[in-house]
């Protein structure tokens, strides 16, 4: 696969071509994922749950994220690598800059931060130092204790604030957005209003890209799957075939379907 860059994703947004993103945490899976037509790999702090067995992402350390990002980078065959900034690793712009540099040094192309408009100064600081960032909005798992659980965000009066935050962060220089568990109409509105690619997870079919946790889309995560998850291995004869099916379903617009999203 030709090397995917931010320029690639921006061109895809401009031409209304959908792109796919999957999590990966090691060299072997990143090799498989990047060879299956997935444009971007997310080294997610979801590793705290799917690899380490925690009940949230909060215990994940920066050292763990650096280690797994380096592993993914070694196996990657041209996909864009997005690395999560773990809980409390970006409490202020100076701390964020030092921690983000560690992730970039081992192979990340972009760092991802959870939050809203309060991150504007941090976004600008990162940009000044050549570090592009992705802002994760909506259901932000690191704030699970504030939300009182994993709940849909951006309903009712909260929708206007989420849209305003996205616009301010795009203006500040955010390179990408992830919208998680927000009503499909709101995700569509945000995608149309910001001039950078928007990736959805439980955010309906109208975002520019779609992301899933690898273990979820293979149907091997314990417990009841989230509403937005589809098991692509159920109709495939191998893991590489399932990953290719996910990429093709996103590209064609058959995934996510209406039942995978939420309404206002």
């Amino acid at each position: 696969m030709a090397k995917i860059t931010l320029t690639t994703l921006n061109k895809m947004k401009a031409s209304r071509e959908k792109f796919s993103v999957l999590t990966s945490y090691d060299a072997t899976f990143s090799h498989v994922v990047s060879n299956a037509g997935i444009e971007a790999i997310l080294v997610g702090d979801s590793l705290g749950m799917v690899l380490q067995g925690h009940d949230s992402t909060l215990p994940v350390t920066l050292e763990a994220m650096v280690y797994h990002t380096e592993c993914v980078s070694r196996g990657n065959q041209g996909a864009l690598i997005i690395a999560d900034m773990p809980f409390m690793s970006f409490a202020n712009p100076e701390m964020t800059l030092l921690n983000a540099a560690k992730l970039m040094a081992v192979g990340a192309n972009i760092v991802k931060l959870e939050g809203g408009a309060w991150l504007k100064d941090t976004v600008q600081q990162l940009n000044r130092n050549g570090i592009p960032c992705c802002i994760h909005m909506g259901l932000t798992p690191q704030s699970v204790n504030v939300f009182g659980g994993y709940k849909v965000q951006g309903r009712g009066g909260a929708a206007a604030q989420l849209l305003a935050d996205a616009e301010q962060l795009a203006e500040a220089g955010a390179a990408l957005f992830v919208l998680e568990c927000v009503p499909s109409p709101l995700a569509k509105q945000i995608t149309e209003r910001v001039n950078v690619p928007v990736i959805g997870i439980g955010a309906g079919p109208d975002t520019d890209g779609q992301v899933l946790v690898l273990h979820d889309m293979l149907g091997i995560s314990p417990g009841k799957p989230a509403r937005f998850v589809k098991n692509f291995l159920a109709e495939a004869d191998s893991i590489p075939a399932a990953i290719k099916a996910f990429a093709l379903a996103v590209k064609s617009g058959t995934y996510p379907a209406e039942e995978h999203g939420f309404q206002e």
Side-chain angles (χ1 to χ4, degrees), residues 230 248-257 260:
K230 178 178 177 179
L248 290 171
V250 171
K251 189 79 67 182
S252 67
T254 58
Y255 176 82
H260 297 121

Side-chain angles (χ1 to χ4, degrees), residues 59-248:
V60 177
T61 64
L62 180 67
E63 290 73 25
M65 292 307 307
V66 169
Y67 170 79
H68 286 281
T69 300
E70 186 171 17
C71 292
V72 165
S73 179
R74 288 177 183 151
N76 181 37
Q77 303 295 302
L80 188 77
I81 297 178
I82 306 166
D84 265 341
M85 300 282 294
F87 181 63
M88 290 303 295
S89 68
F90 52 96
N92 60 60
E94 293 73 25
M95 174 195 290
T96 308
L97 188 61
L98 291 172
N99 290 335
K102 294 176 182 178
L103 291 168
M104 298 294 285
V106 296
N109 303 121
I110 304 173
V111 295
K112 181 166 77 65
L113 298 75
E114 297 184 7
W118 62 273
L119 286 169
K120 284 191 297 181
D121 291 344
T122 297
V123 170
Q124 292 170 341
Q125 174 85 309
L126 290 171
N127 279 338
R128 281 194 294 268
N129 287 274
I131 301 177
C133 61
C134 172
I135 305 299
H136 186 149
M137 303 179 72
L139 173 56
T140 47
Q142 292 174 16
S143 299
V144 62
N145 291 312
V146 175
F147 295 150
Y150 297 98
K151 302 176 181 178
V152 177
Q153 301 296 310
R155 281 177 165 154
Q161 186 62 58
L162 199 61
L163 174 59
D165 282 9
E167 291 181 319
Q168 290 180 56
L169 288 162
E171 187 176 345
L176 292 173
F177 287 95
V178 168
L179 298 179
E180 180 171 357
C181 289
V182 302
S184 300
L186 175 61
K188 181 176 188 293
Q189 188 177 17
I190 292 173
T191 302
E192 292 171 346
R193 293 279 282 273
V194 300
N195 61 355
V196 297
V198 176
I199 302 162
I201 176 167
D206 296 306
T207 54
D208 303 301
Q210 298 290 335
V211 61
L212 282 176
V213 170
L214 177 67
H215 297 61
D216 290 348
M217 60 80 61
L218 294 176
I220 59 174
S221 295
K224 182 181 178 181
R227 175 174 179 166
F228 52 78
V229 171
K230 178 178 177 179
N231 179 357
F232 283 87
L233 188 55
E235 299 176 1
D237 59 7
S238 68
I239 288 174
I243 294 171
K244 288 180 181 178
F246 168 69
L248 290 171

